[in-house]
Each structure stands twice: as structure tokens, then as C-alpha cells.
Amino acid sequence: MATMAQVATLAGVSTATVSRALSGKPVSEEVAEAVRLAAAELDYTMDRTARSLRRRYSDVLALVVPDVENPFFTAVARGVEDVTREAGLSLVLCNSDDDPAKEARYVEVASQEQMAGLILAPAGPEPRLDPLLRKGRTIVVIDRLVDAPLDHVVLDNHALGRIATEHLLAQGHRRVACITGPRETSTARDRADGWAHALSAAGCAPDPDLLRYATYRVDGGRTAMLELLDLPEPPDAVVATNNMVGVGLLRALSAGAGRGAPQVSVIGDLPFITSDVPGAVTMSLRPREMGVRAAQMFVERLQGMTGEPRRVVLDPTTPEPLTRLLTGGDAR
């Protein structure tokens, strides 16, 4: 069986450099390639178990998200996996169902299994991270803010709500509703605040009856839309603050779509074609970019980066006509 020393001799580097290169730590691309070729020629594989015992953590990290069925988080996971795989790490995907207790259990498992750390889209503002923090494990938070000194990658949610609403106001609508997520969720509150800000700036006082807090699920969007349609004076336009809420409200409208249906602005990419409601637009959130950036921050911390926690805020994009999805060919 080949040894690390033999790989180092063949590659013309030190054993420490071999260890760094095969662990995904920073070395020049030329050195990394020489080490990879030497290891392949000698059929050398690092003893990961022994290395994990020395480091006291494994080459595995967990990605915990609220809803693995939501294509937004599927794309996030793809971005995370692409980066962590290149760094020699393996990824475990966990679904919290927006349940803090279930999320806490996954954190405990990550600690018990000596995982390298966690990338977390939290179910609430105060996730129970102590089992990992006590061990000094790496944690990066995505999508939603938590009150803890950790690296974050989030969207500019206030701007998303504002831009989606401004688009509808520019079409001449004044009675614009907003269907957002759970009240305790930072993304839901911030996007609703953006909605209210845009209305106030346009001289339209936000109507509390037109703001609906729901689950970030299809059923939540559908139920809230039906409630809005039952108002004595229904809205003439609606902002859906995430993709699954958008699917739900479009389903509610589709049966009676046509004259008088409110115009819709959806924050997020719709996962599939749901309706022929005219005039609907979507705002792409580039979730894979969120996953890539979070994974890069995770690897940097794992490799020894120190300093104050960082917060990356991804810029929102402008609305795009939903009709482009309806006619564009890729209807997934």
C-alpha cells in the first residue's frame, strides 16, 4: 500500500503539502495537480478515519433546509454540493419542515457524528446551535437571519418586496395585496415591509386587510388568496413573497382567471407551470448562487480563516414576465 511519503516523493513536494492538497486546503493549482497525478499513479487514498480522529471532526457537513421539496432549496443544495465536493467534503441534506425541534435534532446528530459543521436555513430566529458551537464547529446561516455572530448569506428581502410591489404600482394598480410567510420568519416580515414601503412611497396607505401571513407552502398561498377574493373589495394586484405561495395563489385564481383577476408578482422562480393568469411576473432569486457563496464561506472558515462574522447580501433581480415561462420550452 502506497504511503503519503511516496506520493510526496513522486510529486516532488513535502508530505505536509500532500496532506494540504488532498484535504482541499489552499495550494497552487500546479502543485495540486502534481499531487493528484502522483496519488492516482500510486493508487493512494488518505486514511480519512485517522485524520478525522486527529482533527476531531469528519469530512462531512450537513445542510439543513425547511423544505427539500421547494426547488429553491434544491438549487441551494446543488450550489453547496458543487463547492464542498471540490474541497473534499461530503454533504448530508436534512429537511427540518420549519420545525425548530426537528432542526435541533439534526444539530445534535451533526455534533454526535463529529461532522465538520453545518449550513443552515433556520426554522426560527433562535436555532439551538450550542452542541456545535461548544465544539467550535463551522456554521454558516443562509436565507434567514439569526441573532448570533455567524457568517450569513441572505437576500435583500426588503428590496424584493419593494421591487415586486413597485412593478404592480407601475401598471396602475393601487389596491395591492401581499401574501407572505409566517410572521415569525424574517424573510416574511422583511418582504412585507418592502411591500408597505413601496405603497407608502406611492401615496397609497397599506391596508392591513390586504396583508396576509401564511405558511410558505402551496396550501398557504391558495388559502390566503381565497380569503382576499372574499373581501368586500378584493385587491386588483397581489405580491406573493415566495415561489410556493405563488403557486398556491395562482391555483386559486386559475379556475376563475380572466376578466377582473388581480395581476400577480411572484418573488421566486415558479417550480412548474401553474396557471394562465395573464400579466403575472416572477423575480429570480438565483438560489444556486446562495449555495455556492455559503459553501465557499464554510470552506474558508474550515481552513482556518478568522475574523469577524461576514454577511453577504445578494442583490434582487428585476421582475420577468411569466409568459416567458409559459412559452419558453423549459416548463419544469
Side-chain angles (χ1 to χ4, degrees), residues 91-135:
L91 182 67
V92 175
L93 179 61
C94 308
N95 181 64
S96 72
D97 280 322
D98 257 334
D99 180 350
K102 189 174 179 181
E103 175 184 273
R105 176 57 183 154
Y106 282 130
V107 172
E108 187 65 39
V109 169
S111 174
Q112 291 172 352
E113 297 299 322
Q114 302 296 339
M115 291 187 186
L118 191 72
I119 296 178
L120 173 69
E126 297 180 349
R128 288 175 271 176
L129 300 174
D130 282 353
L132 290 173
L133 292 174
R134 285 195 299 266
K135 293 182 175 181

mmCIF file of all heavy atoms in Angstrom, residues 91-135:
data_model
loop_
_atom_site.group_PDB
_atom_site.id
_atom_site.type_symbol
_atom_site.label_atom_id
_atom_site.label_comp_id
_atom_site.label_asym_id
_atom_site.label_seq_id
_atom_site.Cartn_x
_atom_site.Cartn_y
_atom_site.Cartn_z
ATOM 1 N N LEU A 91 -21.658 15.840 1.639
ATOM 2 C CA LEU A 91 -22.800 16.613 2.103
ATOM 3 C C LEU A 91 -23.962 15.709 2.485
ATOM 4 O O LEU A 91 -24.304 14.779 1.752
ATOM 5 C CB LEU A 91 -23.246 17.583 0.999
ATOM 6 C CG LEU A 91 -24.420 18.514 1.317
ATOM 7 C CD1 LEU A 91 -24.029 19.518 2.391
ATOM 8 C CD2 LEU A 91 -24.881 19.235 0.048
ATOM 9 N N VAL A 92 -24.585 16.003 3.626
ATOM 10 C CA VAL A 92 -25.809 15.337 4.061
ATOM 11 C C VAL A 92 -26.925 16.372 4.044
ATOM 12 O O VAL A 92 -26.796 17.434 4.675
ATOM 13 C CB VAL A 92 -25.659 14.741 5.474
ATOM 14 C CG1 VAL A 92 -26.985 14.161 5.953
ATOM 15 C CG2 VAL A 92 -24.575 13.675 5.490
ATOM 16 N N LEU A 93 -28.012 16.087 3.321
ATOM 17 C CA LEU A 93 -29.130 17.017 3.212
ATOM 18 C C LEU A 93 -30.216 16.633 4.207
ATOM 19 O O LEU A 93 -30.663 15.482 4.250
ATOM 20 C CB LEU A 93 -29.688 16.997 1.788
ATOM 21 C CG LEU A 93 -30.893 17.902 1.500
ATOM 22 C CD1 LEU A 93 -30.539 19.364 1.748
ATOM 23 C CD2 LEU A 93 -31.371 17.693 0.062
ATOM 24 N N CYS A 94 -30.678 17.596 4.997
ATOM 25 C CA CYS A 94 -31.673 17.354 6.039
ATOM 26 C C CYS A 94 -32.850 18.309 5.868
ATOM 27 O O CYS A 94 -32.656 19.486 5.550
ATOM 28 C CB CYS A 94 -31.065 17.567 7.431
ATOM 29 S SG CYS A 94 -29.537 16.649 7.743
ATOM 30 N N ASN A 95 -34.050 17.814 6.102
ATOM 31 C CA ASN A 95 -35.277 18.593 5.963
ATOM 32 C C ASN A 95 -35.879 18.857 7.338
ATOM 33 O O ASN A 95 -36.260 17.918 8.042
ATOM 34 C CB ASN A 95 -36.279 17.825 5.091
ATOM 35 C CG ASN A 95 -37.568 18.588 4.898
ATOM 36 O OD1 ASN A 95 -37.556 19.652 4.312
ATOM 37 N ND2 ASN A 95 -38.678 18.045 5.373
ATOM 38 N N SER A 96 -35.986 20.137 7.721
ATOM 39 C CA SER A 96 -36.495 20.461 9.057
ATOM 40 C C SER A 96 -38.005 20.656 9.099
ATOM 41 O O SER A 96 -38.587 20.716 10.182
ATOM 42 C CB SER A 96 -35.824 21.737 9.584
ATOM 43 O OG SER A 96 -36.312 22.878 8.899
ATOM 44 N N ASP A 97 -38.640 20.785 7.945
ATOM 45 C CA ASP A 97 -40.088 21.072 7.895
ATOM 46 C C ASP A 97 -40.436 22.340 8.672
ATOM 47 O O ASP A 97 -41.550 22.460 9.196
ATOM 48 C CB ASP A 97 -40.907 19.897 8.437
ATOM 49 C CG ASP A 97 -41.066 18.791 7.399
ATOM 50 O OD1 ASP A 97 -41.223 19.122 6.213
ATOM 51 O OD2 ASP A 97 -41.007 17.603 7.771
ATOM 52 N N ASP A 98 -39.496 23.275 8.750
ATOM 53 C CA ASP A 98 -39.715 24.519 9.517
ATOM 54 C C ASP A 98 -40.068 24.226 10.968
ATOM 55 O O ASP A 98 -40.766 25.007 11.624
ATOM 56 C CB ASP A 98 -40.795 25.387 8.868
ATOM 57 C CG ASP A 98 -40.211 26.562 8.094
ATOM 58 O OD1 ASP A 98 -39.100 26.995 8.436
ATOM 59 O OD2 ASP A 98 -40.863 27.030 7.150
ATOM 60 N N ASP A 99 -39.594 23.114 11.493
ATOM 61 C CA ASP A 99 -39.879 22.685 12.862
ATOM 62 C C ASP A 99 -38.608 22.856 13.701
ATOM 63 O O ASP A 99 -37.627 22.133 13.507
ATOM 64 C CB ASP A 99 -40.324 21.227 12.860
ATOM 65 C CG ASP A 99 -40.638 20.694 14.249
ATOM 66 O OD1 ASP A 99 -40.332 21.380 15.248
ATOM 67 O OD2 ASP A 99 -41.176 19.582 14.346
ATOM 68 N N PRO A 100 -38.571 23.821 14.635
ATOM 69 C CA PRO A 100 -37.361 24.040 15.437
ATOM 70 C C PRO A 100 -36.900 22.795 16.185
ATOM 71 O O PRO A 100 -35.687 22.581 16.356
ATOM 72 C CB PRO A 100 -37.779 25.154 16.407
ATOM 73 C CG PRO A 100 -38.849 25.895 15.679
ATOM 74 C CD PRO A 100 -39.610 24.830 14.926
ATOM 75 N N ALA A 101 -37.832 21.964 16.655
ATOM 76 C CA ALA A 101 -37.443 20.753 17.382
ATOM 77 C C ALA A 101 -36.748 19.757 16.461
ATOM 78 O O ALA A 101 -35.745 19.135 16.834
ATOM 79 C CB ALA A 101 -38.671 20.115 18.031
ATOM 80 N N LYS A 102 -37.275 19.596 15.265
ATOM 81 C CA LYS A 102 -36.653 18.695 14.294
ATOM 82 C C LYS A 102 -35.285 19.233 13.870
ATOM 83 O O LYS A 102 -34.319 18.468 13.751
ATOM 84 C CB LYS A 102 -37.568 18.547 13.082
ATOM 85 C CG LYS A 102 -37.140 17.473 12.099
ATOM 86 C CD LYS A 102 -38.194 17.294 11.005
ATOM 87 C CE LYS A 102 -37.758 16.223 9.995
ATOM 88 N NZ LYS A 102 -38.768 16.060 8.914
ATOM 89 N N GLU A 103 -35.206 20.531 13.688
ATOM 90 C CA GLU A 103 -33.935 21.171 13.350
ATOM 91 C C GLU A 103 -32.903 20.937 14.451
ATOM 92 O O GLU A 103 -31.735 20.601 14.175
ATOM 93 C CB GLU A 103 -34.169 22.656 13.154
ATOM 94 C CG GLU A 103 -32.924 23.483 12.918
ATOM 95 C CD GLU A 103 -33.285 24.954 12.830
ATOM 96 O OE1 GLU A 103 -33.628 25.420 11.731
ATOM 97 O OE2 GLU A 103 -33.246 25.646 13.881
ATOM 98 N N ALA A 104 -33.330 21.094 15.709
ATOM 99 C CA ALA A 104 -32.421 20.902 16.840
ATOM 100 C C ALA A 104 -31.903 19.469 16.890
ATOM 101 O O ALA A 104 -30.744 19.222 17.263
ATOM 102 C CB ALA A 104 -33.124 21.258 18.148
ATOM 103 N N ARG A 105 -32.731 18.518 16.505
ATOM 104 C CA ARG A 105 -32.300 17.122 16.476
ATOM 105 C C ARG A 105 -31.206 16.918 15.440
ATOM 106 O O ARG A 105 -30.229 16.209 15.699
ATOM 107 C CB ARG A 105 -33.503 16.213 16.189
ATOM 108 C CG ARG A 105 -33.145 14.740 16.035
ATOM 109 C CD ARG A 105 -32.431 14.192 17.249
ATOM 110 N NE ARG A 105 -32.023 12.809 17.067
ATOM 111 C CZ ARG A 105 -31.011 12.243 17.695
ATOM 112 N NH1 ARG A 105 -30.282 12.933 18.563
ATOM 113 N NH2 ARG A 105 -30.706 10.974 17.478
ATOM 114 N N TYR A 106 -31.351 17.547 14.282
ATOM 115 C CA TYR A 106 -30.306 17.421 13.262
ATOM 116 C C TYR A 106 -28.998 18.060 13.736
ATOM 117 O O TYR A 106 -27.905 17.554 13.451
ATOM 118 C CB TYR A 106 -30.760 18.071 11.952
ATOM 119 C CG TYR A 106 -31.717 17.222 11.155
ATOM 120 C CD1 TYR A 106 -32.918 17.743 10.678
ATOM 121 C CD2 TYR A 106 -31.423 15.892 10.856
ATOM 122 C CE1 TYR A 106 -33.793 16.964 9.939
ATOM 123 C CE2 TYR A 106 -32.293 15.107 10.132
ATOM 124 C CZ TYR A 106 -33.477 15.651 9.675
ATOM 125 O OH TYR A 106 -34.349 14.867 8.945
ATOM 126 N N VAL A 107 -29.092 19.171 14.455
ATOM 127 C CA VAL A 107 -27.887 19.795 15.008
ATOM 128 C C VAL A 107 -27.203 18.841 15.981
ATOM 129 O O VAL A 107 -25.974 18.680 15.976
ATOM 130 C CB VAL A 107 -28.241 21.128 15.710
ATOM 131 C CG1 VAL A 107 -27.019 21.676 16.457
ATOM 132 C CG2 VAL A 107 -28.738 22.147 14.700
ATOM 133 N N GLU A 108 -27.999 18.174 16.816
ATOM 134 C CA GLU A 108 -27.455 17.216 17.775
ATOM 135 C C GLU A 108 -26.789 16.046 17.065
ATOM 136 O O GLU A 108 -25.697 15.590 17.459
ATOM 137 C CB GLU A 108 -28.565 16.715 18.694
ATOM 138 C CG GLU A 108 -28.079 15.840 19.835
ATOM 139 C CD GLU A 108 -27.201 16.589 20.809
ATOM 140 O OE1 GLU A 108 -27.499 17.760 21.107
ATOM 141 O OE2 GLU A 108 -26.206 15.994 21.273
ATOM 142 N N VAL A 109 -27.413 15.560 16.000
ATOM 143 C CA VAL A 109 -26.822 14.452 15.235
ATOM 144 C C VAL A 109 -25.507 14.887 14.604
ATOM 145 O O VAL A 109 -24.509 14.137 14.620
ATOM 146 C CB VAL A 109 -27.807 13.962 14.148
ATOM 147 C CG1 VAL A 109 -27.112 13.006 13.186
ATOM 148 C CG2 VAL A 109 -29.010 13.279 14.794
ATOM 149 N N ALA A 110 -25.471 16.095 14.055
ATOM 150 C CA ALA A 110 -24.228 16.596 13.456
ATOM 151 C C ALA A 110 -23.110 16.651 14.483
ATOM 152 O O ALA A 110 -21.948 16.347 14.188
ATOM 153 C CB ALA A 110 -24.462 17.979 12.849
ATOM 154 N N SER A 111 -23.462 17.000 15.720
ATOM 155 C CA SER A 111 -22.476 17.040 16.795
ATOM 156 C C SER A 111 -22.029 15.630 17.186
ATOM 157 O O SER A 111 -20.825 15.352 17.310
ATOM 158 C CB SER A 111 -23.060 17.768 18.002
ATOM 159 O OG SER A 111 -22.188 17.711 19.112
ATOM 160 N N GLN A 112 -22.989 14.733 17.367
ATOM 161 C CA GLN A 112 -22.673 13.367 17.784
ATOM 162 C C GLN A 112 -21.834 12.639 16.735
ATOM 163 O O GLN A 112 -20.967 11.828 17.080
ATOM 164 C CB GLN A 112 -23.967 12.605 18.045
ATOM 165 C CG GLN A 112 -24.740 13.087 19.259
ATOM 166 C CD GLN A 112 -26.107 12.438 19.367
ATOM 167 O OE1 GLN A 112 -26.552 11.732 18.466
ATOM 168 N NE2 GLN A 112 -26.788 12.683 20.485
ATOM 169 N N GLU A 113 -22.099 12.902 15.454
ATOM 170 C CA GLU A 113 -21.373 12.241 14.371
ATOM 171 C C GLU A 113 -20.073 12.944 14.007
ATOM 172 O O GLU A 113 -19.433 12.597 13.015
ATOM 173 C CB GLU A 113 -22.270 12.146 13.136
ATOM 174 C CG GLU A 113 -23.517 11.294 13.332
ATOM 175 C CD GLU A 113 -23.179 9.851 13.666
ATOM 176 O OE1 GLU A 113 -22.196 9.320 13.100
ATOM 177 O OE2 GLU A 113 -23.886 9.248 14.508
ATOM 178 N N GLN A 114 -19.702 13.930 14.800
ATOM 179 C CA GLN A 114 -18.439 14.652 14.599
ATOM 180 C C GLN A 114 -18.343 15.262 13.191
ATOM 181 O O GLN A 114 -17.288 15.230 12.556
ATOM 182 C CB GLN A 114 -17.236 13.719 14.857
ATOM 183 C CG GLN A 114 -17.195 13.103 16.231
ATOM 184 C CD GLN A 114 -17.020 14.143 17.340
ATOM 185 O OE1 GLN A 114 -16.561 15.252 17.096
ATOM 186 N NE2 GLN A 114 -17.412 13.777 18.545
ATOM 187 N N MET A 115 -19.450 15.798 12.705
ATOM 188 C CA MET A 115 -19.415 16.448 11.393
ATOM 189 C C MET A 115 -18.590 17.723 11.463
ATOM 190 O O MET A 115 -18.415 18.331 12.525
ATOM 191 C CB MET A 115 -20.833 16.768 10.916
ATOM 192 C CG MET A 115 -21.653 15.538 10.566
ATOM 193 S SD MET A 115 -23.241 16.007 9.815
ATOM 194 C CE MET A 115 -24.022 14.383 9.700
ATOM 195 N N ALA A 116 -18.111 18.139 10.301
ATOM 196 C CA ALA A 116 -17.290 19.350 10.234
ATOM 197 C C ALA A 116 -18.095 20.590 10.573
ATOM 198 O O ALA A 116 -17.526 21.599 11.006
ATOM 199 C CB ALA A 116 -16.676 19.489 8.842
ATOM 200 N N GLY A 117 -19.398 20.542 10.356
ATOM 201 C CA GLY A 117 -20.218 21.698 10.667
ATOM 202 C C GLY A 117 -21.547 21.654 9.950
ATOM 203 O O GLY A 117 -22.026 20.588 9.551
ATOM 204 N N LEU A 118 -22.107 22.854 9.745
ATOM 205 C CA LEU A 118 -23.500 22.955 9.321
ATOM 206 C C LEU A 118 -23.696 24.191 8.461
ATOM 207 O O LEU A 118 -23.159 25.261 8.764
ATOM 208 C CB LEU A 118 -24.365 23.078 10.585
ATOM 209 C CG LEU A 118 -25.866 22.962 10.503
ATOM 210 C CD1 LEU A 118 -26.262 21.512 10.225
ATOM 211 C CD2 LEU A 118 -26.480 23.420 11.829
ATOM 212 N N ILE A 119 -24.461 24.030 7.386
ATOM 213 C CA ILE A 119 -25.028 25.174 6.670
ATOM 214 C C ILE A 119 -26.526 25.102 6.917
ATOM 215 O O ILE A 119 -27.158 24.086 6.648
ATOM 216 C CB ILE A 119 -24.696 25.139 5.173
ATOM 217 C CG1 ILE A 119 -23.173 25.267 4.967
ATOM 218 C CG2 ILE A 119 -25.425 26.252 4.424
ATOM 219 C CD1 ILE A 119 -22.741 25.183 3.520
ATOM 220 N N LEU A 120 -27.093 26.179 7.432
ATOM 221 C CA LEU A 120 -28.445 26.131 7.978
ATOM 222 C C LEU A 120 -29.325 27.240 7.429
ATOM 223 O O LEU A 120 -28.965 28.418 7.491
ATOM 224 C CB LEU A 120 -28.375 26.262 9.507
ATOM 225 C CG LEU A 120 -29.700 26.406 10.252
ATOM 226 C CD1 LEU A 120 -30.490 25.106 10.176
ATOM 227 C CD2 LEU A 120 -29.449 26.807 11.711
ATOM 228 N N ALA A 121 -30.495 26.852 6.899
ATOM 229 C CA ALA A 121 -31.591 27.792 6.649
ATOM 230 C C ALA A 121 -32.533 27.637 7.828
ATOM 231 O O ALA A 121 -33.323 26.690 7.884
ATOM 232 C CB ALA A 121 -32.291 27.472 5.335
ATOM 233 N N PRO A 122 -32.481 28.508 8.819
ATOM 234 C CA PRO A 122 -33.112 28.245 10.114
ATOM 235 C C PRO A 122 -34.626 28.271 10.071
ATOM 236 O O PRO A 122 -35.256 29.019 9.316
ATOM 237 C CB PRO A 122 -32.570 29.371 11.002
ATOM 238 C CG PRO A 122 -32.214 30.455 10.043
ATOM 239 C CD PRO A 122 -31.756 29.786 8.794
ATOM 240 N N ALA A 123 -35.221 27.447 10.934
ATOM 241 C CA ALA A 123 -36.671 27.396 11.064
ATOM 242 C C ALA A 123 -37.200 28.566 11.878
ATOM 243 O O ALA A 123 -38.371 28.926 11.767
ATOM 244 C CB ALA A 123 -37.090 26.078 11.719
ATOM 245 N N GLY A 124 -36.354 29.164 12.695
ATOM 246 C CA GLY A 124 -36.771 30.273 13.530
ATOM 247 C C GLY A 124 -35.598 31.190 13.818
ATOM 248 O O GLY A 124 -34.464 30.916 13.424
ATOM 249 N N PRO A 125 -35.833 32.286 14.537
ATOM 250 C CA PRO A 125 -34.773 33.275 14.767
ATOM 251 C C PRO A 125 -33.723 32.850 15.787
ATOM 252 O O PRO A 125 -32.664 33.469 15.877
ATOM 253 C CB PRO A 125 -35.548 34.499 15.266
ATOM 254 C CG PRO A 125 -36.789 33.938 15.884
ATOM 255 C CD PRO A 125 -37.138 32.722 15.071
ATOM 256 N N GLU A 126 -33.991 31.798 16.563
ATOM 257 C CA GLU A 126 -33.056 31.375 17.607
ATOM 258 C C GLU A 126 -32.814 29.864 17.538
ATOM 259 O O GLU A 126 -33.230 29.104 18.422
ATOM 260 C CB GLU A 126 -33.589 31.767 18.987
ATOM 261 C CG GLU A 126 -33.738 33.273 19.182
ATOM 262 C CD GLU A 126 -34.267 33.647 20.554
ATOM 263 O OE1 GLU A 126 -34.719 32.726 21.273
ATOM 264 O OE2 GLU A 126 -34.232 34.835 20.904
ATOM 265 N N PRO A 127 -32.147 29.397 16.498
ATOM 266 C CA PRO A 127 -31.872 27.961 16.403
ATOM 267 C C PRO A 127 -30.961 27.505 17.537
ATOM 268 O O PRO A 127 -30.096 28.257 18.002
ATOM 269 C CB PRO A 127 -31.175 27.835 15.048
ATOM 270 C CG PRO A 127 -30.593 29.179 14.780
ATOM 271 C CD PRO A 127 -31.557 30.158 15.384
ATOM 272 N N ARG A 128 -31.168 26.266 17.962
ATOM 273 C CA ARG A 128 -30.394 25.715 19.085
ATOM 274 C C ARG A 128 -29.104 25.093 18.550
ATOM 275 O O ARG A 128 -29.052 23.920 18.205
ATOM 276 C CB ARG A 128 -31.236 24.696 19.840
ATOM 277 C CG ARG A 128 -32.360 25.333 20.644
ATOM 278 C CD ARG A 128 -33.264 24.293 21.289
ATOM 279 N NE ARG A 128 -34.356 23.908 20.410
ATOM 280 C CZ ARG A 128 -35.243 22.965 20.706
ATOM 281 N NH1 ARG A 128 -35.150 22.298 21.845
ATOM 282 N NH2 ARG A 128 -36.206 22.672 19.865
ATOM 283 N N LEU A 129 -28.053 25.902 18.512
ATOM 284 C CA LEU A 129 -26.789 25.512 17.888
ATOM 285 C C LEU A 129 -25.696 25.178 18.891
ATOM 286 O O LEU A 129 -24.573 24.852 18.494
ATOM 287 C CB LEU A 129 -26.302 26.642 16.965
ATOM 288 C CG LEU A 129 -27.256 27.022 15.825
ATOM 289 C CD1 LEU A 129 -26.727 28.250 15.093
ATOM 290 C CD2 LEU A 129 -27.429 25.856 14.857
ATOM 291 N N ASP A 130 -26.009 25.233 20.182
ATOM 292 C CA ASP A 130 -24.979 25.051 21.208
ATOM 293 C C ASP A 130 -24.160 23.771 21.057
ATOM 294 O O ASP A 130 -22.940 23.791 21.295
ATOM 295 C CB ASP A 130 -25.612 25.089 22.602
ATOM 296 C CG ASP A 130 -25.913 26.515 23.040
ATOM 297 O OD1 ASP A 130 -25.501 27.445 22.319
ATOM 298 O OD2 ASP A 130 -26.577 26.696 24.080
ATOM 299 N N PRO A 131 -24.772 22.616 20.705
ATOM 300 C CA PRO A 131 -23.954 21.400 20.593
ATOM 301 C C PRO A 131 -22.787 21.540 19.618
ATOM 302 O O PRO A 131 -21.717 20.964 19.850
ATOM 303 C CB PRO A 131 -24.960 20.352 20.098
ATOM 304 C CG PRO A 131 -26.278 20.831 20.619
ATOM 305 C CD PRO A 131 -26.208 22.320 20.504
ATOM 306 N N LEU A 132 -22.967 22.302 18.555
ATOM 307 C CA LEU A 132 -21.881 22.512 17.590
ATOM 308 C C LEU A 132 -20.985 23.681 17.994
ATOM 309 O O LEU A 132 -19.767 23.622 17.825
ATOM 310 C CB LEU A 132 -22.453 22.763 16.195
ATOM 311 C CG LEU A 132 -23.098 21.556 15.518
ATOM 312 C CD1 LEU A 132 -23.775 21.980 14.218
ATOM 313 C CD2 LEU A 132 -22.066 20.470 15.230
ATOM 314 N N LEU A 133 -21.579 24.736 18.531
ATOM 315 C CA LEU A 133 -20.787 25.903 18.916
ATOM 316 C C LEU A 133 -19.802 25.556 20.026
ATOM 317 O O LEU A 133 -18.668 26.053 20.042
ATOM 318 C CB LEU A 133 -21.711 27.035 19.364
ATOM 319 C CG LEU A 133 -22.584 27.659 18.262
ATOM 320 C CD1 LEU A 133 -23.557 28.668 18.873
ATOM 321 C CD2 LEU A 133 -21.726 28.326 17.194
ATOM 322 N N ARG A 134 -20.223 24.703 20.971
ATOM 323 C CA ARG A 134 -19.319 24.313 22.059
ATOM 324 C C ARG A 134 -18.080 23.601 21.541
ATOM 325 O O ARG A 134 -17.017 23.659 22.160
ATOM 326 C CB ARG A 134 -20.055 23.416 23.061
ATOM 327 C CG ARG A 134 -21.025 24.159 23.972
ATOM 328 C CD ARG A 134 -21.423 23.293 25.157
ATOM 329 N NE ARG A 134 -22.090 22.059 24.729
ATOM 330 C CZ ARG A 134 -23.399 21.922 24.631
ATOM 331 N NH1 ARG A 134 -24.199 22.951 24.914
ATOM 332 N NH2 ARG A 134 -23.940 20.772 24.264
ATOM 333 N N LYS A 135 -18.228 22.901 20.411
ATOM 334 C CA LYS A 135 -17.101 22.177 19.831
ATOM 335 C C LYS A 135 -16.317 23.017 18.823
ATOM 336 O O LYS A 135 -15.355 22.532 18.229
ATOM 337 C CB LYS A 135 -17.602 20.904 19.145
ATOM 338 C CG LYS A 135 -18.157 19.862 20.106
ATOM 339 C CD LYS A 135 -18.587 18.607 19.359
ATOM 340 C CE LYS A 135 -19.039 17.514 20.320
ATOM 341 N NZ LYS A 135 -19.440 16.273 19.606
#
